[in-house]
Amino acid sequence: MKQLTVKYYLALIFTFSAIVSFAGEVTLKATVSKNPVATGERVKVSYTVNSQISQFIPPEFDGFQVLSGPNQSTSMRWVNGVSSYQMTYSYILLAVKEGEYDIPPAKVKVGNEWLESNPLHLVIVKGKDVAQQNTTSSGSNADSKVKSGGKDIFLRAIPSKTSVYIGEPLTVTFQLYTRVNFVNNDLIKMPDLNGFWNEEIDLGENTPWREQVIDGKRYNVATIRKVVLFPQSAGDKTIDPLIMSFVIQRRVHRQPQSIFDQFFGSYEEVEVKVASQPYKIKVKPFPTQPPADFIGGVGKLNLSMDYTPKENLKSHEAITVKLRVSGTGNLKLLDNPNIELPGDFEIYEPKINDRITLANGTYSGYREYEYLIIPRHAGDFVIPPVTMSYFELSSKKFKQLKTDSIKLHIEKGDESQANIAYTPQKEEIKQLATDIEYIKNNFTTVSEKALDFNSALYFGTAGALSLAYIFLLIFVKKQEDLKSNTALFNQKRAAKLASKYLKEAKAELTKNDRAKFLEALHKGLVQYLSKKFNVGFAEMDKETIKQTLKNSGLDEETIKQTIDFLEHLEYLRYAPVQEQTNEDLLTQATDIIHHIEKNSK
Amino acid sequence: MKKHFAILSLLCWFTIGLFANNQSLAKEYFEQGNTFYTNGDYQSALQSYQSADSLGVISPELYYNLGNTYYKLQNYPLAIYYYKKALKYNPGDKSARQNLELARSKTIDKFEVLPQSLFTKMWNKLLLLTTAQNWTYIALGFLFLAFAGFVLYRFGQSVTVKRLYFILGISLFTLSLLAAFFGYENEKYFSQNKEAVVVAPTIDVYSEPAHKGSKLFTIHEGVEVTVQEELNGYVKIKLPNDKTGWIDKKYLMIV
């Protein structure tokens, strides 16, 4: 009976504190589902706070074994236009040893202040024949409603590991547990996975439900999200809660109002907010300093290198070098490996080809770095081995991978290709040190005059040249005048000579005696030639005339014309042909004289 | 009388012979100095070069090598002096100009050189491309070419050809006049801007040609100045920043 009194007191206290909480103050309330409990029985201890909190420190549960918890649930309710928020951390405890236990207060941090819950006094009795009075559940109806949100439906985040190295993957599974029907659900907040590279595993459209019994209660369980996380930096990281809201149907404990109610019970729809509990993941730094060629790889990796084309390599023609990192690990998080090339090779940023799949909670496959390199000169070159270190998870040590070196024989290619778009930016020659230029070895001397402008020489020369030019002009002018005068004189003289020597022929022309005319013409012409070239008239036979004309330096044409004409005249004398008039012949003879006069010196 | 003539003629020959001799002797010293310099014995190189210099020949290469030697001996004011002297007789010497810049960077005083207009800069650069004497030759060369152009013009067969030669002649004649003008300006540049280098470690510059005037500023060795006036052993100098003042002439070495 005394025990019973204590229980009533406790109940009274809880009820009172519940009232206080409605007054708007922040309270932390501890409730227990059953008190006393028998050994082997389970009991649920809940800590409910009506405000957002930043930290929750649970007490030690002496005499009990924690079966699960803290299980976190949140609910937001509107009652008559007044909102109330509640967050509940609950534990399922197993009563282990009989006795009376004082459970110290739990602590929460609200803002900057710490708040303590009421302590709990729990009695564990032996066996099952303990009076099963459910004191607390009848304590407050409103209270039980809120709690049941956390009890009947909740989310759990289950990490595969809680302590990992940087780059070591872990999988977090978010599971929904429910034993009530819900008619609607809404995702309120996805967890921020700060500090992790995450990739979600596709679970497919339909989530299969399975059954699981927790605390003797049957739950429907579904996996709603599965995420693979690769920690990026060392330190304690938190997996934030996944928050969802559900509209659940709940049987109302009240007097049945109708026949249907008696049969099916009466239901109400309540919206509850459910959050998974946050998890701390400890990300450990690497046990040793990473080597210089560490590009972030963690797992179990391999490295290989290949290149194409293998044959007929020519300068200015591109070669593809493929560097492949394969294996399992954080393949997608690798930096570019460092590839060293001999001088005179151009290299471009690699193209990255990934064949990576997410399986068994990590990446596997390969990442290929495709480098385009262009040799600029012919010759034999060696691309040194590429090294890459990674952190091997199985041994927890850094391992170095090394490829073979590549030997390249480059032939001289088309030089015109040298100016294709990939012209490298020329670097200016960097001056390493400044020193004076070397001494000179040629010895020359100059006179002091080197500093003078020789104006006398310049203007003297200018004057002299001007004078020379003037003289030149005058001289040329005179010459030209003279030349034109001579030509005129020669013409006059030729006309004079022609009329002088051809006078007889002319006279004969009027008499119309052709034979005599021809003779006179021939004679006149030969006389002219004999006078002109100072040869006796008697000696002037055909051969002599030819020779004389040739010696006189006359041009061939004139000579031929003269000789032909003389021969023609002779022919005409004995031929009765009258194809040419006498006037024509006379004119021709006059022309010849003019010609000779003009051309002879 | 005859005797006098003989002496005179002998003296004459002697002078000519001496001059010719000096030339080859200077070359000998020069080459000797080069050998010392190559071996890193700058002190001996300096002595050889100085011997060559004392023979009264003018050799830009000798001045240049002297500048280098003083530079190596870390006597930067004299290095500057000789580089400037080398440039005076061979303005197109790029090595001397570069070494001069290096020597300047070793001196104490730094001056904010007044910015010259682009035109002035280009003009001076053109003027100092070569010596006045060379400008004379260039001008003469253009003159002869112009003359040839005019002659060709006179004998040109067609109007087009004649016109072409005339334009050519006129252009060449203009170039010749321009070159002559550069030569004239070049000569004026050196005769007006008497360049000098301060060789005393620290000297005060006064407002008057005596120590009694007020002290204007202090300059240090290696400063390049132009001499504007001379009076009673004092010279009026103009600094690179256009400031003027009087100092004792003995602190200066006029290029």
Side-chain angles (χ1 to χ4, degrees):
Chain A
M1 197 62 224
K2 197 184 172 190
Q3 267 187 357
L4 214 70
T5 334
V6 172
K7 275 179 243 159
Y8 274 116
Y9 274 125
L10 271 171
L12 211 69
I13 290 162
F14 292 157
T15 316
F16 184 70
S17 59
I19 292 163
V20 168
S21 79
F22 270 103
E25 269 183 64
V26 179
T27 55
L28 176 64
K29 204 167 54 185
T31 53
V32 64
S33 60
K34 215 193 248 181
N35 197 12
V37 289
T39 50
E41 266 190 339
R42 290 165 186 210
V43 65
K44 184 176 176 183
V45 176
S46 302
Y47 293 92
T48 308
V49 63
N50 60 343
S51 168
Q52 301 265 14
I53 60 161
S54 52
Q55 211 174 329
F56 171 77
I57 300 176
E60 295 282 316
F61 298 103
D62 276 341
F64 294 89
Q65 185 190 331
V66 179
L67 290 175
S68 97
N71 303 317
Q72 201 184 347
S73 72
T74 324
S75 82
M76 190 95 178
R77 284 202 306 156
W78 290 84
V79 178
N80 295 332
V82 178
S83 68
S84 68
Y85 174 89
Q86 284 196 319
M87 193 166 208
T88 308
Y89 293 91
S90 56
Y91 291 85
I92 307 291
L93 306 176
L94 178 71
V96 179
K97 208 179 169 188
E98 52 183 299
E100 289 187 25
Y101 298 96
D102 281 316
I103 294 173
K107 286 180 188 170
V108 291
K109 195 175 186 183
V110 180
N112 284 325
E113 284 184 42
W114 286 95
L115 198 67
E116 287 191 3
S117 71
N118 49 309
L120 291 174
H121 182 81
L122 291 174
V123 179
I124 302 174
V125 294
K126 196 180 175 184
K128 300 215 169 188
D129 51 346
V130 184
Q132 300 226 346
Q133 275 172 292
N134 197 343
T135 47
T136 44
S137 61
S138 64
S140 161
N141 205 10
D143 220 43
S144 71
K145 262 188 196 171
V146 174
K147 277 198 299 175
S148 63
K151 195 168 140 195
D152 294 339
I153 182 163
F154 59 89
L155 284 166
R156 262 192 194 174
I158 305 159
S160 61
K161 291 170 208 166
T162 52
S163 173
V164 287
Y165 283 104
I166 297 171
E168 183 183 354
L170 70 142
T171 313
V172 179
T173 316
F174 292 94
Q175 285 186 319
L176 174 67
Y177 293 76
T178 180
R179 42 192 297 249
V180 292
N181 289 334
F182 56 91
V183 290
N184 201 3
N185 71 81
D186 231 343
L187 182 72
I188 294 177
K189 191 171 169 279
M190 294 275 251
D192 290 334
L193 298 162
N194 289 332
F196 296 99
W197 165 275
N198 66 79
E199 181 144 344
E200 188 143 0
I201 297 169
D202 191 10
L203 297 169
E205 284 284 300
N206 294 312
T207 357
W209 289 94
R210 61 182 193 276
E211 286 192 348
Q212 197 180 333
V213 177
I214 300 169
D215 306 340
K217 286 168 183 167
R218 182 159 299 180
Y219 283 88
N220 285 319
V221 184
T223 302
I224 53 171
R225 274 190 94 198
K226 212 166 181 178
V227 188
V228 178
L229 303 178
F230 292 89
Q232 302 274 67
S233 56
D236 284 344
K237 310 282 172 194
T238 311
I239 298 172
D240 294 329
L242 171 75
I243 304 169
M244 291 180 80
S245 78
F246 296 93
V247 176
I248 60 169
Q249 287 182 323
R250 182 203 303 275
R251 184 188 287 271
V252 183
H253 299 282
R254 63 181 175 197
Q255 287 303 309
Q257 285 166 349
S258 66
I259 299 166
F260 288 110
D261 282 355
Q262 278 182 330
F263 271 105
F264 305 108
S266 72
Y267 288 87
E268 62 175 355
E269 287 191 352
V270 181
E271 191 186 342
V272 288
K273 217 179 193 180
V274 179
S276 65
Q277 78 286 11
Y279 251 109
K280 276 242 153 51
I281 304 290
K282 190 181 174 203
V283 182
K284 294 177 278 186
F286 295 122
T288 54
Q289 193 67 27
D293 55 358
F294 177 68
I295 57 166
V298 175
K300 178 88 185 85
L301 304 175
N302 281 309
L303 185 69
S304 64
M305 181 158 71
D306 197 11
Y307 66 102
T308 50
K310 293 256 193 309
E311 303 279 313
N312 280 331
L313 300 173
K314 286 188 176 132
S315 57
H316 308 303
E317 285 178 16
I319 303 167
T320 309
V321 175
K322 286 176 179 171
L323 201 61
R324 181 183 284 196
V325 183
S326 56
T328 55
N330 55 349
L331 288 167
K332 278 194 184 175
L333 305 175
L334 298 181
D335 292 335
N336 293 351
N338 189 21
I339 176 163
E340 265 176 60
L341 288 179
D344 293 333
F345 271 75
E346 273 169 43
I347 187 160
Y348 298 94
E349 277 294 296
K351 198 178 123 196
I352 294 172
N353 304 318
D354 282 344
R355 284 271 187 292
I356 299 171
T357 51
L358 191 62
N360 302 325
T362 186
Y363 286 130
S364 59
Y366 66 83
R367 164 165 282 199
E368 198 173 71
Y369 298 89
E370 196 178 307
Y371 288 91
L372 188 71
I373 63 172
I374 298 176
R376 283 303 180 205
H377 294 287
D380 286 300
F381 300 95
V382 177
I383 299 178
V386 176
T387 62
M388 184 202 94
S389 287
Y390 75 103
F391 185 69
E392 195 181 60
L393 279 174
S394 55
S395 63
K396 307 205 183 332
K397 271 182 189 142
F398 284 104
K399 286 256 166 91
Q400 194 183 51
L401 301 169
K402 195 173 179 183
T403 65
D404 292 335
S405 58
I406 292 178
K407 286 194 177 75
L408 297 172
H409 175 72
I410 314 281
E411 309 237 333
K412 203 166 173 64
D414 184 4
E415 281 300 319
S416 65
Q417 290 291 303
N419 295 325
I420 51 168
Y422 299 120
T423 28
Q425 283 199 318
K426 290 256 165 78
E427 261 185 57
E428 273 181 49
I429 294 170
K430 286 184 187 101
Q431 183 128 27
L432 298 172
T434 48
D435 198 6
I436 51 171
E437 288 195 20
Y438 198 61
I439 50 165
K440 296 184 177 172
N441 281 318
N442 59 323
F443 180 78
T444 61
T445 55
V446 293
S447 75
E448 196 61 51
K449 281 184 188 141
L451 299 178
D452 297 335
F453 174 66
N454 200 334
S455 51
L457 179 65
Y458 179 71
F459 290 114
T461 313
L465 285 177
S466 307
L467 270 177
Y469 193 66
I470 290 165
F471 279 128
L472 182 84
L473 288 185
I474 292 168
F475 179 71
V476 167
K477 181 90 177 92
K478 273 235 168 104
Q479 279 293 307
E480 274 176 359
D481 282 357
L482 198 66
K483 218 173 175 181
S484 60
N485 284 347
T486 317
L488 200 69
F489 176 76
N490 283 350
Q491 215 173 342
K492 273 183 183 165
R493 194 177 55 180
K496 226 158 132 189
L497 286 169
S499 64
K500 182 183 167 189
Y501 288 106
L502 302 179
K503 200 163 74 188
E504 260 177 69
K506 228 175 193 173
E508 289 299 332
L509 187 70
T510 48
K511 288 174 191 164
N512 212 2
D513 189 340
R514 185 165 171 88
K516 280 211 168 141
F517 165 74
L518 288 173
E519 205 191 320
L521 194 61
H522 189 261
K523 194 183 156 199
L525 207 54
V526 175
Q527 262 179 343
Y528 161 72
L529 289 173
S530 116
K531 202 88 185 164
K532 173 79 188 165
F533 298 109
N534 216 8
V535 184
F537 180 72
E539 293 159 42
M540 289 297 268
D541 54 25
K542 209 161 72 186
E543 276 310 304
T544 319
I545 292 170
K546 212 176 204 172
Q547 204 54 50
T548 313
L549 287 177
K550 254 182 199 156
N551 290 345
S552 71
L554 279 168
D555 58 301
E556 285 293 318
E557 209 187 329
T558 316
I559 296 167
K560 194 169 178 293
Q561 205 184 358
T562 314
I563 302 292
D564 283 356
F565 185 68
L566 286 173
E567 273 173 1
H568 188 62
L569 281 183
E570 265 178 57
Y571 163 76
L572 282 178
R573 262 205 269 180
Y574 305 105
V577 221
Q578 295 246 350
E579 55 202 13
Q580 274 177 304
T581 63
N582 294 346
E583 281 87 356
D584 280 345
L585 291 169
L586 188 65
T587 317
Q588 222 171 333
T590 317
D591 276 352
I592 285 171
I593 291 171
H594 272 272
H595 228 86
I596 292 171
E597 278 303 311
K598 199 178 165 193
N599 290 321
S600 63
K601 304 231 161 86
Chain B
M1 193 61 208
K2 227 176 179 180
K3 199 176 160 193
H4 273 159
F5 182 77
I7 288 170
L8 202 68
S9 104
L10 198 73
L11 205 69
C12 203
W13 277 114
F14 185 69
T15 318
I16 293 165
L18 194 70
F19 185 72
N21 213 19
N22 273 359
Q23 189 106 331
S24 56
L25 197 62
K27 194 175 180 195
E28 229 165 84
Y29 279 129
F30 176 81
E31 276 156 6
Q32 194 186 354
N34 285 0
T35 314
F36 282 129
Y37 186 98
T38 311
N39 294 333
D41 186 356
Y42 302 121
Q43 206 62 54
S44 306
L46 181 64
Q47 278 176 9
S48 300
Y49 289 141
Q50 276 172 335
S51 308
D53 193 28
S54 65
L55 291 171
V57 292
I58 299 170
S59 166
E61 290 84 11
L62 176 62
Y63 297 143
Y64 173 83
N65 288 5
L66 264 167
N68 267 14
T69 312
Y70 276 118
Y71 186 97
K72 289 286 183 192
L73 292 169
Q74 298 183 351
N75 188 341
Y76 301 116
L78 279 169
I80 291 172
Y81 170 78
Y82 278 106
Y83 286 139
K84 281 178 87 92
K85 207 161 177 173
L87 282 169
K88 186 178 175 180
Y89 292 100
N90 185 9
D93 188 348
K94 288 211 172 73
S95 315
R97 212 163 278 282
Q98 191 193 316
N99 290 1
L100 174 61
E101 283 303 323
L102 279 171
R104 271 176 187 157
S105 69
K106 305 275 185 187
T107 58
I108 300 156
D109 293 324
K110 300 277 178 278
F111 291 97
E112 281 284 325
V113 180
L114 292 180
Q116 287 177 312
S117 73
L118 190 69
F119 178 76
T120 320
K121 256 189 218 166
M122 294 293 289
W123 183 254
N124 280 343
K125 214 167 186 180
L126 257 172
L127 277 190
L128 302 180
L129 267 182
T130 185
T131 55
Q133 197 179 33
N134 284 343
W135 277 121
T136 317
Y137 297 144
I138 291 166
L140 283 175
F142 279 128
L143 203 61
F144 280 109
L145 286 173
F147 179 74
F150 285 126
V151 169
L152 285 167
Y153 154 73
R154 179 59 189 82
F155 291 107
Q157 290 297 319
S158 73
V159 180
T160 331
V161 171
K162 272 177 107 92
R163 192 176 289 161
L164 202 78
Y165 280 127
F166 185 74
I167 292 169
L168 193 74
I170 289 286
S171 313
L172 287 165
F173 185 65
T174 316
L175 280 176
S176 170
L177 282 178
L178 207 65
F181 185 61
F182 282 153
Y184 172 73
E185 285 289 314
N186 180 300
E187 186 185 328
K188 210 171 82 181
Y189 180 89
F190 280 111
S191 59
Q192 279 184 354
N193 299 310
K194 250 188 183 170
E195 295 186 310
V197 180
V198 175
V199 286
T202 310
I203 44 171
D204 295 326
V205 182
Y206 292 89
S207 61
E208 282 174 39
H211 275 301
K212 62 189 180 207
S214 58
K215 204 160 84 177
L216 294 175
F217 38 81
T218 306
I219 53 175
H220 301 93
E221 57 181 1
V223 173
E224 291 159 75
V225 298
T226 47
V227 178
Q228 293 189 319
E229 272 180 69
E230 229 184 297
L231 191 73
N232 302 332
Y234 279 83
V235 282
K236 189 183 180 188
I237 56 161
K238 193 170 106 181
L239 294 172
N241 58 2
D242 273 5
K243 288 206 167 96
T244 54
W246 291 85
I247 60 167
D248 199 323
K249 199 187 169 184
K250 68 183 176 193
Y251 299 134
L252 280 185
M253 272 178 86
I254 293 168
V255 176

